[in-house]
Amino acid sequence: SGIFSCRPRHCPLHTYRESIYLGDAGLSESHIKAIVDDLKPRFLGTNYDLLRFNCCTFSREFSFDLGLGNIIPSWIDRLALVAASIAGNAVVSPSASSEQQRN
């Protein structure tokens, strides 16, 4: 799986600009773990694409599955979306894309 865990803001693979509070889902730890386990097959390391299917994609899907909705600020992945469209493979807005894949 391309999903792993670490303490907030302590992953040595990333540089963090800021933390963004996503809300309180009011779910148990076991329920959240089940949600993450359900996402793992989709988010394999081999599926990773820097512009089109990345940690921002996971964050949006995770926030939906937690019942929080589309709360990831648009500036988070704006650069990747613009770069993807310039590369000739424009993507639908991540929230619309997530909804289409779920239906």
Side-chain angles (χ1 to χ4, degrees):
S1 167
I3 298 174
F4 62 92
S5 65
C6 61
R7 289 183 35 219
R9 297 183 63 111
H10 284 86
C11 178
L13 303 173
H14 302 283
T15 302
Y16 298 91
R17 176 177 170 187
E18 66 184 271
S19 296
I20 298 173
Y21 180 69
L22 300 180
D24 184 0
L27 303 175
S28 68
E29 186 176 336
S30 62
H31 192 170
I32 293 170
K33 183 181 179 329
I35 290 170
V36 171
D37 287 344
D38 287 343
L39 288 169
K40 283 182 178 180
R42 260 196 86 209
F43 289 89
L44 301 174
T46 55
N47 293 342
Y48 185 84
D49 182 294
L50 182 63
L51 302 178
R52 296 171 192 86
F53 200 78
N54 53 41
C55 57
C56 297
T57 313
F58 172 80
S59 296
R60 288 184 191 283
E61 298 259 344
F62 190 41
S63 70
F64 273 107
D65 290 354
L66 289 172
L68 300 172
N70 185 18
I71 57 173
I72 307 298
S74 61
W75 64 262
I76 296 289
D77 59 355
R78 183 174 297 130
L79 178 62
L81 294 173
V82 169
S85 67
I86 291 170
N89 294 319
V91 293
V92 186
S93 78
S95 58
S97 178
S98 296
E99 285 300 308
Q100 288 172 354
Q101 292 170 0
R102 291 172 190 272
N103 296 328

